[in-house]
Each structure stands twice: as C-alpha cells, then as structure tokens.
Amino acid sequence: MKPPADTIFALSSGALPAGVAVVRLSGPRAFRALEALTQKPLLEARQAALRKIVGRSGLMLDKALVLTFQAPHSFTGEDVVELHLHGSRAVVHAVLGELGEMIGLRQAEAGEFSRRAFENGRLDLIEAEGLAELISAETEMQRRLAVEQSFGGQSALYEGWAQRLTYARAMIEAELDFADEDDVPGSVADKMVQDIRKLQDELGRHLTYARAGEIIRDGYKIAIIGAPNAGKSSLLNALASRDIAIVTEVAGTTRDIIHVDLDLDGYLVKLFDTAGLRDSEDLVEQEGIRRAWMAIEEADLVIHLEEIDSRAERPELPRHKEILWVGSKSDLHQTSLNYDLCLSAKTGEGIPGLRAFIVEKIQGVWAGGSVPTRQRQLDLLKIASNSIRDALNARELEFRAEHLRSAAAALGRITGRVDVEQLLDVIFSQFCIGK
Amino acid sequence: MTVSYDVIVIGGGHAGCEAASASARMGARTALITHKRETIGVMSCNPAIGGLGKGHLVREVDALDGLMGRVADAAGIQFRMLNRRKGPAVRGPRTQADRKLYRLAMQQAIEDHPNLVVIEGDAHDIMTREGCVSGVAMADGRMFTAPSVVLTTGTFLRGLIHIGTERIPAGRVGEAPSQGLSATLARHGVALGRLKTGTPARLDGSTIDWSVVGRQTADDEAVPFSFMTGRITNPQIECGVTRTTDATHKIIADNIHLSAMYSGQIEGVGPRYCPSIEDKIVRFGERNGHQIFLEPEGLDDTTVYPNGISTSLPAAVQEMFIRTIPGLDKVRIVQPGYAIEYDHVDPRELDMSLELRKLPGLFLAGQINGTTGYEEAAAQGLAAGLNAALKAGGHDDPYHFSRSSSYLGVMLDDLTSRGVTEPYRMFTSRAEYRLSLRVDNADARLTPEGIKLGLVGSARAEHYQAFEEAVTRWRLRLKTLSLTPNEAASHGLRINQDGQRRSAFDLLSYQDVTVASLRSIWGELNDVPKRVAEALDIEGGYAVYLERQESDIAVLRRDESLRIPEDFDYAGLSGLSNELKQKLSQQRPSSLAQAARMEGMTPAASALLLAMLRKQPLDRVMRVS
C-alpha cells in the first residue's frame, strides 16, 4: 500500500486574534513534527499536556496545550495532533511558519481534513457535507442543524426512507417475479400504496424544509422599506443596538443598502435597510432604489415602515411576499390599528414585540428537525419525490415498479445503493417461495 | 492418434448442448463429450421450461438461434404465459415438457449440425500448454486437442447424493460423478465452492387419486417459445394441484433430525427460492398447507413429478409423509427424492465471456458457475460456446453481452462481478432495464447481433428480416396516419382536446388502444399481420418509458465500454479508502460499469477511477464498440 502523500496542517479555529487558536496536523509526519516542536518525546494518545513550543532557533514561541490522536482512531483516520495555542496573530503565524519549514508538511487546502476523513471511511458523504457546515456555523441554530446532519440524524432519516422504499419495492417485485407462487397473495403490491403515499408526504414535507435549511445557513432576510424619513435606519439601529446607518433628518439619505447581521435567539437574521422607494431624478438615488427592489425580492420578510398616520402612499409589493406593516414614531403619535405593530425606535417601545415576531416567523419555518441543506441532496430528493409520485399515478404494476426503482436509485445516491439482493432478502424472508 | 477440434464441449446437459450448438453454428469443428449419448438433453429436475425471468432467457437463446426454445416447443405439453394479465415486460412463457420428447428433440438438434460430433466417454483432465488449454485427456487414454474447451459439468463435480443418512457419490441418480476434473481445476488454483440442490420423489401417476386433486390447465392459446415455431401441435395436459396437511407437517417435524439437510451432513448452500419441504416447515411453519403441483412427466409416461416437496429425508419417511397428502394416500414412489451437493467454481474467476482467467481457453457454463436452472445453464452455454469458437477462430475480442440489451448480459455481469452465495436464478427484478428487455422483443434485441456474429443461420436470418421489414413498414405507416382530437373524439377515443394532431403510433400509448382497435378508423390496418400488430402495440405502449431509459442506458454502455486492464494498480489510487482499494483489487471488475456497481463505490470513487483510467496509456484502456 502506498503511504498517504503528505502531512497537512492548518489553523482550525476561527479568525485571529482570539483567546485560543487550534492548529491541527494530520498525516504520517504529524507526531514527528510535534516532537520537533516540543523537543520532548510523545505523550500518550488522547492525553492533553502543557508543552513549550520551540522554534528551530531555540526560541520559545508559546506554551500550548497539545493532544495526539493515533490513526485510525482520529477524526481523519490518520495520526492527528492538535496544538491549542494562545490566539495571537504573531504566535500562530510563527508556529505555522515553523511547520511549513518541516519536510513533508504543508498547509492544508480548504476542506482537506474532511476530505481525508471521508476518504478514509471516517465519514459518509452526508456527514462530510454536514461537517463542512459545522465548521462555518456561526450561530447556535446553524450549529444545531450542522450537528443534526453531521452526526447521523439526517442519515438515519434518509436511511429509514430507503428501508421503507426497499420493503415496498420488495412486495411489488414479489408480485411480479413470484406471481405463480401460492404464498404470495395477488394483492400484496396494492397494500403498499398507502405506505408509499405516506412516504411521499414525508418527503414532500421535508423538501419544504429545504428553504428553512437555507434560512438557517444563510440567515433570515428582512428588508426594511418605507417612505424616506419613515425611520428605517433608526429602526435598524434600534434592533442592532448600535449605530450603523447614518441617520439624519434629510429625506433620502440612505442611498445604499445597509445591511446588518443580527443574532436573534440563536438565529442569524440579515436586516437590509433600503433607500426610500420614491421616484428620483438623482442617478445615485435611482441606483439605490433599484437595489431596494432587489432586496425586497430576496427577503423572507418585508417590514414596511411609515410614520403613524402619515397616510403616505403605499408601494405595490409582490403579492407572495410576507409583509409586516409597521407604524413608527409611536413616541410622537397615538398607536393605530391600521398597523400590525407600532413602535418607537427612539424610546424602544414595541421593539421587543418586533423581535419576538421575527423569531416566531423563523421558528415557523423550522423547529429543529432534519432539513436538506445541500443542493446535491435537494436535487436527489426531488427526483425521488417525483418518481414516487409517478409511481402512484402509474397504471401498470411494472411501471409502478420502474418509477420506484428510479426513486430508490436517487435516494440511494444519498444513503448508499440498494440493490436487488436486498429486495430478494426481503421477499424470501416474508414469503415461502419455491415449489 | 490424437484427433483435433476447434472447440471441445464437456457435458451434454442444457449448457453443453447450447455451447456445442453455438460453437458449431459459428463454423467451428466441435466435439461434445458426454458419458452416454442417450443422456444428452436429459432434464434432471422438474419437467418444465421457462417461467418468469427464465422464460426471458429461453427467448434470448432462441433469438440467437439456440436450441432450447425450439426443443421446448417440440416437447411442451402445457403452455402457460405467467403474468398474462400484467404488462408485457414481466410476462414469462412457461411449459411443462415431456421428458422423452425433450431429450429426443435435443438429440436430434445436436445431430443436425454437420460439424458437431458426439464422443462418448469420461473426460478426465484438461491438457495445457504454456498456461493455455490445449485439449482434453479421457479416462481411457484417448486425447483430443483443441484451443478452446467448454466445461459444463452440472452437478457432476464431486457430486454427492444424500437420502436421509445415506450418501452416494453421483452426478445424477444412477450416473457416476466426475472426480478428475475437480482436481484439474484445483491444480490451476481455481477457487471452488460447494452448493446444494434437491429434487422430490417421483410418483407413479396411476396410483394417484386424481378425483380429489385440483386442476391447472394450459392456456387456450399456446404461445411458442421460438420465433421459428409456427404452432404448437402437442396435445396439452392438465397438472394436478394438492396441498400438504397437518399430518404431513407432523411427520416431517418429527423426523427432521433424519433429513440430510438438518443432520449437519450437508455443507453446501441451497437456494432460498427452491427450499426443501423440510425448509418450508422449519422456516415458515404450516402456513395452512404448502401447495404441490403434480406434473406428469410425459404424454405416454405415468411418472409424476410432485413439484414443491423436494426432500432429503430417508426413503421410508418420504413415503410416510407423501401418503398424508390428499390424492396421494395410496401412491407408489418410483424413486425417492434426494439432495445433491456438488462443487462449483467461484464465477468471479471468469471474465464476461465465461473464460477462466487463470486458464485461458477454458470456458465454464451452467451449474459449475453456481447457477441453477436449465434456462440459466442454456444461456451461459450459448455465451461460452460462442466465445470459445471466436477464440478458436483467432478473434482477439470476445463478445460481451450488455446488461442493457439482454438478461444474458445481466446474468453474466452479476455472476462475474459479484459471485454467488446461493445458486443463482434469474428474476426479472435483476434487470434494471426490465421494460426494455422483454420476451416479445428478444428477437429485435439480439437476432441482428447474432446475424453479425455469424451465430444465426440463414433460415432464421431471412425469417427475421422479413418480419422486421414488415414491422418497420407498418410503424412508419402508423406514424404517418394521424387525426385531430376532435376526430378522435368522434371515434370514441378520449384524448386531450389540445388541438394537437396525433399519429396512430402515438395513440398506441393510450390505455386500451391497439392496432386492432384503430382498424375502425383506418381500414388499411386490417392488413397488419397479427404478430406485427402485437409488436407495435407493445412498442407504442412503452415508447414513453423507453425514451426515458435511453439516457441511462447510454451511460451504462459508455461505462461498460471502458474496460479496466486486468493488472490495474488500485493500490496506487490515492483518494480511495483502503477498504475499497482492497475490494477492487480482489474483485477486479472488468469495466467501469462493474466497478460502479460494487458495494461501497460512491459516485466520487467512480469519478476518481474514471480519471485514473483516462490517465492510462491509450492501448491499456480498450474501448470496444
């Protein structure tokens, strides 16, 4: 067997500076590199120890917590070393520099650790994809979704579907291939219809969660629109609790789209503050208006803001959009039933209500279950779902079987192939076949 | 003096006969070696040909001008089309066969080949020269040379019959096993396995009380297997149907320890779909009785084959339990049932042309490859005989059947890439392109290939071409005739009123629309011959589905055509898991398509393998058309 090419290393934790920075090494030379850096014999695998990290010049670079994992019992399936350094740029760069000078070591490419783990059979494809998400998870909800996917929650769901599909197919194949058998009742395939329909429903529901997956990953997008001077930027600032947009009393100040990422109860929320939607001769402002319309198009929720009782002309908004009509400056006016909600960015009145509303909206699309997050999975699930639908509509059993075979093939590209031997296993365990 | 041939076939069963005939049809000087001339074409197990999946294989053998379909037509005494009420892709022709008529028709067919001789005797050893086959040495010292040898030993390789605790070395009841050839294969380092199969007792039909058993009749209209058969002329018989009873089950359960199957005496693995009655009772309990078909073995033969109660219980126990079955209470047993164990070769030792990798020139076909069934054997025999003749004729490229165009291709691919864990039997569910691989289009799928290869004789070639021409002509005509939705409605056809003109051919994809039903609209369709109309009905009905499958099939064919060199270095493939590398090195898939179907292969791994294959020098990665 050819040894793996080389040993890779990378800063595995987030941006510097930080309290702690984790540098990971994986490959056949990882342990030797650690010995060189610490100038001490190796410690026992999976035991943490405090060690001086020393450069070639003999200078101490840092004192770090070091850990080793011996192949194949590691994340990548290779020998792995973790250095928990102090997270200063200077320290980390010095250590990475030392590693880079060692023979057989090189900086890892993006995703290379996961790929090695996948290639060494430590992760299945779904898990590998989930892990990539975990690494980039910024909020708690993103982390939960990634964990769900990475540690088998989703695998188990798809596996379950694949098994039910296998069973249904086996019953249908039994009726096709063993029609002359006394023990196979002629109606066995019909009995499967209900189960297949149920499967189809579950798949369909799961697919509608796809949008939720995107929301968790990319953030829930809110466009704040309204007449100039309605107080959009003030609202944004109130929600973000810090000054982002330049808020002035001159109408039409916000020419560009200002956006701010919020962490609302663990959900990533992207707020887009738009230019006023009024007609304008000003070229720069026209550009701002064009962008405002784009933001509306992409938003999951549009907040239309208007000063209470200002009776400003309301814009024509896309009908399928969810719109929250909000009256602003409740510190100056009586609250009014013409709005879903009234608030004052200045006093903070109504702001908690708005936050709660947004969180409830997000929870409405996703309550923590499995969600398909990768385009690859999504495409395959759609094929499976369409094939099952076709199967239910098919008039001949052989066509039904054919559509279900396609469905199983698509699902199998996520969970692993189901072949005829598995169908036959089911058939022979259920029916006494053979004269 | 040694006599030389192009191809020598050892064995005169279903595989051997097809192999010898295929080789002879290819023009090779062929010899068929068998113990006894009169056992050529013997049906050792149940007297029936065809069924679901199996019937497809018979039709394919026939489409390539093989013997089985024609012989079954000559011997068939109860033709039935299974799944008649389901779609054409899953219909399976089957017939009971008169054993004697079958044997005689097969012997006649073998005799009809001028360049095929039958040699009686015991083939003892395969001779080799420089690692390749050079001929066959007989037990009596005779030697025959040939560059290609086809071995079809069935259950004769170290065959061992079990009846209760009794053990008799035999290939079939009353026939000696073949001991020498097992040693030959072992000497060449070929991996052998052991399988088991069984057969029920044979009954004297004149002692059966037919008045108390049910009846199964033949179809009113017998559909022949062979394209070349005009009409079935044999009288058609009925089979009896009866069931086991509580008393039967009790006797079997009480004596289970005496069954060779359950006493630990048998090491071979039996098929799950052909269980002994002991298995049925142990695994599925009483199930309200297990069905038994009482199949007459011939028109003028009183022997009855009780299909459904194969057993390896002692003869006395067999008699006891059989007599508890309605209709059989006074039955006389002509010959007790038995289980038989035999050696087989791990079919992964073979390439897709059924040639043994370790001994070029030696082809294996039939039960020796771990299959079961006459039809599976015959189809392999044809493939082996064809390739043995190609090799003897100096052709470098063997002929490979594709999964996308035949059940034969499905079977050969399954066997050689995945091996067997139990005797392999064909099912329609094994064919992923089942809708394309139908009984009705076997000729269209394979006869043109057979003509190109030289495997199909002139009589069939002409008959087929005339038929194909008629189909083409009428298909074209049907595509020319068209009507508007309004016109269709006026003829009582329910069609979307979308203003689109539809051709008569398009209309065939609608439920209940056939060429015959369109005759009221277009009178000229009265001239379409019946068989042509049937072919077009089915083709029209499947058109939509077949279009969809075409792109899948194109991908498969592409991957099948990408052969992986025999000595490809998987260890050097970085990026594959070690487990997968090991598996690939062990199984040595012959094409990218085979590799892709292996367990654990991901699309990514396939892509990687493809990339590496592309990097190989061009002459290493052979593309075949």
Side-chain angles (χ1 to χ4, degrees), chain B residues 445-486:
Chain B
R445 286 186 278 122
L446 294 170
T447 306
E449 290 284 296
I451 294 171
K452 255 189 270 169
L453 285 163
L455 186 59
V456 170
S458 57
R460 180 183 298 263
E462 281 160 27
H463 190 44
Y464 171 74
Q465 275 152 356
F467 174 73
E468 191 48 39
E469 208 184 275
V471 171
T472 308
R473 183 154 35 87
W474 281 109
R475 185 190 296 122
L476 209 66
R477 190 70 197 128
L478 285 168
K479 287 185 172 173
T480 321
L481 299 170
S482 70
L483 45 59
T484 65
N486 267 330

Side-chain angles (χ1 to χ4, degrees), chain B residues 271-538:
Chain B
R272 287 173 297 176
Y273 38 79
C274 195
S276 62
I277 187 68
E278 293 96 296
D279 271 341
K280 290 184 186 181
I281 304 297
V282 170
R283 288 181 44 216
F284 292 99
E286 317 208 323
R287 287 252 160 156
N288 205 13
H290 294 271
Q291 198 173 40
I292 302 161
F293 287 90
L294 301 173
E295 304 175 345
E297 299 212 332
L299 294 172
D300 58 1
D301 184 344
T302 57
T303 313
V304 165
Y305 183 96
N307 203 344
I309 49 169
S310 93
T311 181
S312 59
L313 282 164
V317 180
Q318 290 188 31
E319 187 172 86
M320 256 196 318
F321 88 72
I322 288 174
R323 288 192 168 176
T324 61
I325 296 166
L328 306 182
D329 47 331
K330 296 198 183 69
V331 81
R332 192 177 71 80
I333 292 179
V334 179
Q335 179 198 98
Y338 60 86
I340 181 162
E341 276 188 292
Y342 54 97
D343 281 352
H344 77 98
V345 169
D346 181 343
R348 287 173 297 188
E349 299 268 12
L350 308 167
D351 69 13
M352 280 285 283
S353 60
L354 296 180
E355 187 173 6
L356 202 55
R357 289 200 174 108
K358 287 180 178 141
L359 186 50
L362 185 60
F363 296 80
L364 308 183
Q367 264 173 309
I368 189 173
N369 292 339
T371 62
T372 171
Y374 306 147
E375 304 81 358
E376 287 84 352
Q380 289 173 67
L382 185 144
L386 161 67
N387 279 301
L390 283 174
K391 177 147 195 152
H395 294 269
D396 288 333
D397 284 338
Y399 183 79
H400 288 183
F401 291 90
S402 164
R403 290 186 82 87
S404 65
S405 54
S406 62
Y407 274 80
L408 227 171
V410 170
M411 175 170 64
L412 298 182
D413 188 46
D414 282 349
L415 289 174
T416 59
S417 66
R418 318 180 44 163
V420 294
T421 50
E422 66 182 329
Y424 179 97
R425 176 180 146 186
M426 184 47 74
F427 303 112
T428 68
S429 48
R430 294 196 192 275
E432 41 288 74
Y433 305 113
R434 176 164 65 192
L435 297 183
S436 315
L437 309 186
R438 303 186 308 273
V439 158
D440 63 87
N441 70 356
D443 310 299
R445 286 186 278 122
L446 294 170
T447 306
E449 290 284 296
I451 294 171
K452 255 189 270 169
L453 285 163
L455 186 59
V456 170
S458 57
R460 180 183 298 263
E462 281 160 27
H463 190 44
Y464 171 74
Q465 275 152 356
F467 174 73
E468 191 48 39
E469 208 184 275
V471 171
T472 308
R473 183 154 35 87
W474 281 109
R475 185 190 296 122
L476 209 66
R477 190 70 197 128
L478 285 168
K479 287 185 172 173
T480 321
L481 299 170
S482 70
L483 45 59
T484 65
N486 267 330
E487 290 165 346
S490 73
H491 286 104
L493 286 174
R494 256 175 297 158
I495 279 167
N496 242 352
Q497 294 293 322
D498 54 6
Q500 289 277 326
R501 283 191 87 82
R502 284 178 179 76
S503 75
F505 189 79
D506 293 336
L507 293 175
L508 291 178
S509 68
Y510 289 82
Q511 201 165 8
D512 300 328
V513 177
T514 61
V515 172
S517 73
L518 295 175
R519 282 178 182 150
S520 60
I521 307 176
W522 295 286
E524 64 181 282
L525 297 182
N526 282 311
D527 299 339
V528 186
K530 184 166 171 257
R531 255 164 113 165
V532 172
E534 277 169 8
L536 290 169
D537 283 346
I538 296 172

Side-chain angles (χ1 to χ4, degrees), chain A residues 39 54-61 98:
Chain A
Q39 303 189 342
V54 185
R56 276 160 304 160
S57 59
L59 276 178
M60 190 179 92
L61 304 173
E98 283 296 328

Side-chain angles (χ1 to χ4, degrees), chain A residues 1-2 119 173 175-180 182-183 390 395-399 401-403 405 417 419-421 424-425 428-435, chain B residues 52 83 86-89 243 272-273 275 280 283-284 287 291 293 307-308 418 427-430 432 434-435 509 511 542 545 548-549 575 577-578 597:
Chain A
M1 195 193 84
K2 200 179 119 194
E119 285 163 357
E173 293 299 340
E175 193 168 328
L176 291 174
D177 258 337
F178 304 102
D180 51 338
D182 180 43
D183 205 45
D390 291 345
R395 60 171 195 254
E396 296 270 9
L397 201 53
E398 54 175 343
F399 294 144
E402 173 62 17
H403 290 302
R405 195 185 62 78
R417 226 169 67 86
D419 75 16
V420 65
E421 288 304 326
L424 294 174
D425 284 346
F428 296 138
S429 66
Q430 295 286 315
F431 303 114
C432 181
I433 301 277
K435 290 180 207 157
Chain B
L52 296 166
N83 275 344
K86 298 197 181 98
R243 304 185 83 81
R272 287 173 297 176
Y273 38 79
K280 290 184 186 181
R283 288 181 44 216
F284 292 99
R287 287 252 160 156
Q291 198 173 40
F293 287 90
N307 203 344
R418 318 180 44 163
F427 303 112
T428 68
S429 48
R430 294 196 192 275
E432 41 288 74
R434 176 164 65 192
L435 297 183
S509 68
Q511 201 165 8
Y542 279 96
Y545 283 89
R548 270 192 225 170
Q549 282 200 344
S577 72
N578 292 330
R597 271 193 305 278

Side-chain angles (χ1 to χ4, degrees), chain A residues 100-120:
Chain A
E101 291 298 320
M102 293 183 188
I103 293 166
L105 267 68
R106 65 171 172 79
Q107 285 259 11
E109 289 157 27
E112 204 173 356
F113 285 97
S114 298
R115 210 180 69 212
R116 287 192 176 192
F118 173 60
E119 285 163 357
N120 291 323

Side-chain angles (χ1 to χ4, degrees), chain A residues 226-434:
Chain A
N229 228 350
K232 304 188 294 290
S233 301
S234 306
L235 173 61
L236 185 81
N237 287 338
L239 280 168
S241 319
R242 57 191 157 116
D243 276 351
I244 292 148
I246 319 138
V247 188
T248 66
E249 293 300 316
V250 188
T253 327
T254 316
R255 286 192 214 107
D256 213 341
I257 303 279
I258 307 277
H259 112 251
V260 59
D261 290 353
L262 301 180
D263 181 341
L264 281 192
D265 291 2
Y267 297 105
L268 174 63
V269 174
K270 284 181 180 319
L271 280 175
F272 294 84
D273 181 13
T274 66
L277 291 170
R278 64 170 189 179
D279 295 329
S280 173
E281 298 293 315
D282 184 331
L283 278 182
V284 180
E285 208 167 308
Q286 277 177 8
E287 175 59 18
I289 292 166
R290 194 185 66 80
R291 291 191 197 176
W293 280 110
M294 266 171 57
I296 290 169
E297 196 45 55
E298 284 175 16
D300 298 300
L301 174 70
V302 177
I303 295 180
H304 181 274
L305 203 63
E306 114 188 350
E307 193 169 333
I308 296 171
D309 292 339
S310 63
R311 295 173 201 282
E313 200 182 323
R314 290 187 173 181
E316 279 284 323
L317 291 171
R319 215 171 294 161
H320 60 273
K321 283 286 161 196
E322 176 132 37
I323 296 152
L324 186 70
W325 302 97
V326 176
S328 66
K329 305 190 186 176
S330 64
D331 50 321
L332 302 179
H333 309 278
Q334 277 282 314
T335 55
S336 156
L337 288 175
N338 291 331
Y339 305 97
D340 298 325
L341 197 108
C342 288
L343 53 76
S344 160
K346 203 169 168 190
T347 64
E349 185 192 354
I351 298 289
L354 180 60
R355 291 179 75 118
F357 177 84
I358 295 169
V359 169
E360 199 178 305
K361 275 282 156 211
I362 301 174
Q363 283 169 345
V365 262
W366 186 63
S370 257
V371 160
T373 49
R374 285 283 175 174
Q375 197 56 41
R376 187 185 77 92
Q377 287 177 14
L378 202 58
D379 292 345
L380 291 167
L381 290 171
K382 275 184 192 151
I383 294 173
S385 172
N386 290 343
S387 299
I388 294 176
R389 183 202 59 214
D390 291 345
L392 287 166
N393 293 335
R395 60 171 195 254
E396 296 270 9
L397 201 53
E398 54 175 343
F399 294 144
R400 181 165 290 173
E402 173 62 17
H403 290 302
L404 290 182
R405 195 185 62 78
S406 305
L411 208 50
R413 286 180 66 185
I414 303 177
T415 60
R417 226 169 67 86
V418 172
D419 75 16
V420 65
E421 288 304 326
Q422 283 149 288
L423 295 186
L424 294 174
D425 284 346
V426 175
I427 295 174
F428 296 138
S429 66
Q430 295 286 315
F431 303 114
C432 181
I433 301 277

